[in-house]
Amino acid sequence: MYGSMSRSQECIKQLMPSDDTGGLYVLMLLSFFPLYYWCFTEESSEEEFEISFVCHRPDDLHILQEETEFSRKELQFLYRAFKNECPSGVVTENVFKLIYSQFFPQGDSKIYAHYLFEAFDTNRNGCLSFKEFVAGLSLILRGSIYDRLNWAFNFYDLDKDGFITREEMMKIMKSIYQLMGKYVYPSIHNDTPKEHVENFFQKMDRNHDGVITIEEFMESCQKDANIMRSMRLFDTNVLVLFRIPGNHDSETLPAVEGGRSCEMSDGFLMEVCVDSVESAINAERGGAARIELCCNLLEGGLTPSTGLLQVVKENVRIPVYVMIRPRAGDFLYSDWEVEVMKRDIEQMKIHRADGLVFGALTEDGRVDTELCMELMAASRPLPVTFHRAFDMVHDPAVALESLISLGFERILTSGCDSTALEGLPVIKRLVEQAKGRIVIMPGGGITERNLQRILEGSGSQEFHCSARSSKDSTMKFRNSNVSMGGSLSVPEYAVKVADVTKIPFQGWNKSPSDSLILVN
């Protein structure tokens, strides 16, 4: 049960946040390590794993599979671990506290374990059943952004009155620092927990009434990139995350460079647009921080299938933002097309998209605020990027203010020109006008040859590009007389995929770990 204790502690030390932005949420996530290592250890042999299928089969396994996001194999393994440690089938609060004390011997985990136990004990009977445990774990590991934020809010809301107070937040914060023990002390001073709480309230308490509502919490978290990234620390297949023996799917998941997330140094990050599973995997391997998932990139990117989204989510760990664009061409949509977009949004949320990308204009080249408002409402609580429809607007400065008021997270733009380099003066003006109220993300023709100029000339912190090269088809029989598209279609026997080898490390900082990572 405790064989992976040292590994857990080492991960905690490596992942401790170095700043206040999103730090409280990060600390809470790090304190979940014992739950994972309690159930998933490297000491189980493949033979034991197979035996567990026979020894422990909860009667409602099929129901749990429907009610959670875990597979049958994962549930069986979870149940085996749970039953081995708790033959009675329930965990009491004292046992729960004992688990935490073994993982944090240098600290005092009792108070934090009490709060966490109450969060999992949904029946409020003082005992944690396997069903309660796996339901909570499913929300934390596999839930949507809304599910995870809702769970976190309820965790902070100790008295369950629908508000988070400073007193509640201070109790949580102090309990986390007590739990971490010497891994935090003496590097902090006595006022550090209070400073975390004050920063938290400055960010979340939007109407300054001294309490945080669920609406304020949701809105603030979704607008904070650090918090959103911290929520995905454990966003992966549990069998892969803990390398459970006998699970060969883990070989398909590439390791993140240096064990870090895929963001670039000094807060810069790269988003890569992809239209296939192979490209998504290659983008993550190459250092992408986020994926924009589309189909038909030759027409600027259209809405991908839910099947593509599902398989991509199974094989990458970085956030996946999905394009919502029903057809190629302009961005003036009919009522039928709007209905298609709304249904696509609904389906992408169901299949765990991390964010959405769309845009709509009026016939006179202005942001269609009425339609965008409808689509934004359908998208909640997911963050949304306004795509390069922005480059077709009549007045970029006016459009920028409209998108800020609508609540978009970022704007993808080439500066209303054919490439981001050519539109650099406009991009710079947009960044200056935005003043941090919305992310301005240059995109369009960005390569290793021009990124430095765009980086220095724009003032942007996020960038968008593709990483494609042509790969010859493996077809042996070829009919060169037939084309599946028009006369100007691409060759039938060539496939465009993201290319890991096109990531440039030369020309940036001397140390690869400090380099600006680009997928071109």
Side-chain angles (χ1 to χ4, degrees), residues 184-469:
V184 177
Y185 297 106
S187 60
I188 68 165
H189 51 80
N190 292 335
D191 291 333
T192 299
K194 184 177 180 180
E195 290 172 0
H196 270 293
V197 173
E198 287 305 315
N199 288 334
F200 185 86
F201 265 77
Q202 287 177 16
K203 186 185 298 293
M204 303 283 178
D205 185 12
R206 306 183 75 84
N207 61 359
H208 307 293
D209 63 351
V211 296
I212 298 171
T213 64
I214 182 66
E215 292 80 15
E216 290 174 317
F217 184 78
M218 289 280 187
E219 182 180 355
S220 300
C221 285
Q222 289 177 67
K223 290 184 177 180
D224 191 303
N226 290 310
I227 291 178
M228 298 305 287
R229 279 194 292 269
S230 73
M231 291 180 65
R232 300 183 179 96
L233 281 173
F234 308 111
D235 189 8
T236 185
N237 183 301
V238 292
L239 299 178
V240 173
L241 180 59
F242 297 98
R243 299 297 188 264
I244 300 304
N247 178 55
H248 304 294
D249 292 340
S250 62
E251 297 173 1
T252 66
L253 287 176
V256 178
E257 178 70 23
R260 301 168 54 197
S261 64
C262 315
E263 53 195 285
M264 296 190 281
S265 63
D266 300 324
F268 301 115
L269 62 82
M270 182 63 70
E271 175 184 273
V272 178
C273 54
V274 304
D275 59 2
S276 69
V277 179
E278 181 181 2
S279 290
I281 293 172
N282 286 347
E284 182 178 52
R285 281 190 180 134
R290 183 174 58 241
I291 286 172
E292 180 192 84
L293 186 64
C294 317
C295 73
N296 201 354
L297 282 173
L298 291 173
E299 294 190 279
L302 303 180
T303 306
S305 70
T306 56
L308 177 58
L309 172 60
Q310 288 176 283
V311 179
V312 166
K313 290 287 291 182
E314 289 168 2
N315 285 276
V316 302
R317 307 176 200 178
I318 56 178
V320 179
Y321 278 42
V322 178
M323 173 70 75
I324 303 295
R325 188 181 176 210
R327 56 158 173 80
D330 63 38
F331 306 101
L332 180 63
Y333 296 114
S334 68
D335 291 342
W336 288 340
E337 289 166 339
V338 169
E339 186 60 30
V340 170
M341 295 172 77
K342 289 180 178 178
R343 296 197 187 188
D344 281 337
I345 288 172
E346 180 183 351
Q347 288 301 309
M348 298 309 169
K349 289 171 66 177
I350 290 172
H351 293 290
R352 301 176 57 234
D354 297 293
L356 299 170
V357 182
F358 55 72
L361 304 179
T362 61
E363 61 182 7
D364 58 353
R366 303 179 189 278
V367 173
D368 190 336
T369 54
E370 183 177 348
L371 174 54
C372 284
M373 196 176 300
E374 292 180 30
L375 297 179
M376 290 291 285
S379 301
R380 292 192 185 99
L382 296 184
V384 181
T385 298
F386 193 92
H387 57 42
R388 288 189 62 196
F390 185 87
D391 292 325
M392 310 299 286
V393 299
H394 175 71
D395 188 330
V398 172
L400 172 62
E401 296 301 327
S402 296
L403 296 176
I404 291 172
S405 65
L406 286 167
F408 280 86
E409 181 181 71
R410 70 177 52 77
I411 298 170
L412 171 61
T413 178
S414 62
C416 302
D417 216 319
S418 56
T419 68
L421 186 60
E422 293 171 286
L424 193 55
V426 173
I427 294 173
K428 183 179 180 180
R429 288 199 297 270
L430 291 170
V431 171
E432 292 171 348
Q433 179 184 342
K435 296 179 180 178
R437 294 175 294 165
I438 193 171
V439 175
I440 304 299
M441 180 169 63
I446 294 181
T447 70
E448 73 276 16
R449 294 181 298 277
N450 60 29
L451 177 62
Q452 183 71 55
R453 290 177 60 187
I454 296 171
L455 176 64
E456 294 174 351
S458 67
S460 296
Q461 293 184 308
E462 298 187 15
F463 302 87
H464 173 98
C465 58
S466 65
R468 299 192 301 163
S469 61

